Amino acid sequence: MKRINLIFLTLLLFGAIETKCQEKNITFEVTTGQSMMEYGYWKMGTILPGDYVDAIAEKFLTTPPVSFEGQPVIGYIEVLINDEIIHRHAFKFTYPEYNRWRFSLIPDPYSNVSISFRHDWNGNFIRALAKLPKGEHLLKVKSYLEKDNERIQVGYGEIKYDNTNGSDVDMMKIADLIDKNATFDPQKEMSEWIQKNGGVEAWRKANDEDLAKSDAEDVKREAQNYYKITAKNNCNDSYTITVNDAQTYVINGKGAVVISVARGKKGIVKRNGTIVTTVSENQENGTVVICN
């Protein structure tokens, strides 16, 4: 009996060591505001309330059977704290072409990514995070592939969730938006909008007006920031013209180009790298000759 208990304890200890030292191969892409940081097996990352998180299983821990290749499979995600599962998510998709699988933990509900890539969108993980007490929590993320009742673990990673300071972010609202927009189809929405607003011709007219307005604003902004001068080439040779070693223009034989110079500055005009003239703002809308 003592020998059996010893063996049992050894197996338990071995299992605990295996769990603790499990190989990590998941990279996390965490978007905070307009900034995106990448964390993985080489560096522990942290999620804050309101962050969006994608995960990438790199170089699968277990090589899937050949029967998985190019076939519909089930992706299965588990997230644990202190070895207690706080979130599970399963979804169908086509087995990844390479041993690299990207999936969403907290997708950005405002993203316009195609619906064909939203198979993994689910708001339950962020709901689970919203229920956690204040503090720093170590999240263990496991990813599996399953087909015909055969499941293999292909990914494992760890990242922290820190809500120590609390947050004004409405986590439940984000979760609801994720679930709602999981079935959002941009093309369908656009088609419905076009029909609602007078059909394709009305949409085209509105689009053309928006473009014209944008172009007019660009011209106005250009005029406010730059003055224009015509650079004329009276020779048959082709030349590359530079202004202040920044803007570049090409004149193919006899002809001219309109060059731009920032207002308040002089423009050093070079022809094939050699200075030919210097212009100033009082020459605006005038002409300079770069070759006779």
Side-chain angles (χ1 to χ4, degrees), residues 40 43 51 61 66 95 98 106 114 122 124 143 155 164 166 173 215 257:
K43 181 181 180 181
D51 286 353
L61 298 177
V66 176
Y95 171 74
Y98 306 103
I106 307 177
S114 170
N122 185 300
N124 287 338
S143 61
T164 304
K173 179 181 178 181
D215 289 343
V257 293

Side-chain angles (χ1 to χ4, degrees), residues 196-227:
K196 181 180 178 181
N197 290 275
V200 175
E201 290 306 318
W203 175 80
R204 285 177 178 166
K205 182 181 178 181
N207 189 56
D208 289 343
E209 289 174 352
D210 286 343
L211 288 175
K213 182 179 178 181
S214 178
D215 289 343
E217 290 174 349
D218 288 343
V219 170
K220 183 178 179 180
R221 190 161 40 248
E222 179 83 1
Q224 289 174 341
N225 297 327
Y226 296 90
Y227 61 93

Side-chain angles (χ1 to χ4, degrees), residues 17-207:
I17 294 173
E18 281 291 293
T19 301
K20 185 177 180 180
C21 300
Q22 183 172 357
E23 180 183 352
K24 301 173 187 175
N25 70 326
I26 288 184
T27 299
F28 298 95
E29 289 184 359
V30 180
T31 301
T32 301
Q34 299 299 316
S35 301
M36 193 275 285
M37 296 294 292
E38 186 173 271
Y39 306 99
Y41 43 87
W42 64 89
K43 181 181 180 181
M44 176 67 71
T46 299
I47 304 171
L48 300 174
D51 286 353
Y52 304 122
V53 187
D54 281 352
I56 305 169
E58 314 260 9
K59 297 180 181 178
F60 291 168
L61 298 177
T62 306
T63 302
V66 176
S67 60
F68 278 43
E69 295 181 6
Q71 299 298 313
V73 296
I74 300 224
Y76 185 78
I77 310 300
E78 285 184 348
V79 183
L80 305 89
I81 295 179
N82 296 325
D83 297 324
E84 178 183 347
I85 297 173
I86 66 165
H87 173 65
R88 286 190 179 101
H89 182 35
F91 49 90
K92 291 183 179 180
F93 74 117
T94 301
Y95 171 74
E97 185 177 353
Y98 306 103
N99 284 351
R100 189 176 189 273
W101 171 26
R102 184 188 189 97
F103 56 91
S104 295
L105 287 174
I106 307 177
D108 180 353
Y110 301 100
S111 169
N112 62 355
V113 65
S114 170
I115 193 172
S116 61
F117 298 105
R118 298 184 183 196
H119 45 69
D120 54 359
W121 281 34
N122 185 300
N124 287 338
F125 177 51
I126 196 170
R127 291 187 181 95
L129 294 181
K131 295 176 182 178
L132 294 176
K134 287 187 177 182
E136 191 174 78
H137 309 272
L138 178 65
L139 307 175
K140 299 178 181 179
V141 180
K142 297 181 179 181
S143 61
Y144 303 83
L145 292 175
E146 181 178 304
K147 183 178 180 294
D148 299 331
N149 296 320
E150 181 178 6
R151 178 184 296 179
I152 58 170
Q153 183 178 352
V154 295
Y156 177 78
E158 296 178 355
I159 193 166
K160 293 177 182 178
Y161 174 64
D162 188 355
N163 65 344
T164 304
N165 299 320
S167 173
D168 294 331
V169 175
D170 189 337
M171 304 278 274
M172 294 305 183
K173 179 181 178 181
I174 294 175
D176 290 342
L177 279 173
I178 291 171
D179 287 340
K180 176 184 176 182
N181 293 342
T183 56
F184 173 77
D185 185 337
Q187 291 184 337
K188 180 175 179 290
E189 294 286 330
M190 175 60 76
S191 176
E192 290 178 354
W193 184 93
I194 290 172
Q195 296 305 319
K196 181 180 178 181
N197 290 275
V200 175
E201 290 306 318
W203 175 80
R204 285 177 178 166
K205 182 181 178 181
N207 189 56

Side-chain angles (χ1 to χ4, degrees), residues 200-255:
V200 175
E201 290 306 318
W203 175 80
R204 285 177 178 166
K205 182 181 178 181
N207 189 56
D208 289 343
E209 289 174 352
D210 286 343
L211 288 175
K213 182 179 178 181
S214 178
D215 289 343
E217 290 174 349
D218 288 343
V219 170
K220 183 178 179 180
R221 190 161 40 248
E222 179 83 1
Q224 289 174 341
N225 297 327
Y226 296 90
Y227 61 93
K228 308 284 186 178
I229 292 177
T230 299
K232 187 176 181 181
N233 177 23
N234 292 326
C235 302
N236 291 322
D237 295 331
S238 296
Y239 296 111
T240 297
I241 309 300
T242 59
V243 179
N244 292 337
D245 294 324
Q247 300 101 316
T248 300
Y249 310 85
V250 176
I251 305 180
N252 292 314
K254 290 183 178 181

Side-chain angles (χ1 to χ4, degrees), residues 228-233 256-257 279 283-290:
K228 308 284 186 178
I229 292 177
T230 299
K232 187 176 181 181
N233 177 23
V257 293
V279 298
Q283 295 172 269
E284 184 172 7
N285 298 325
T287 299
V288 294
V289 178
I290 58 100

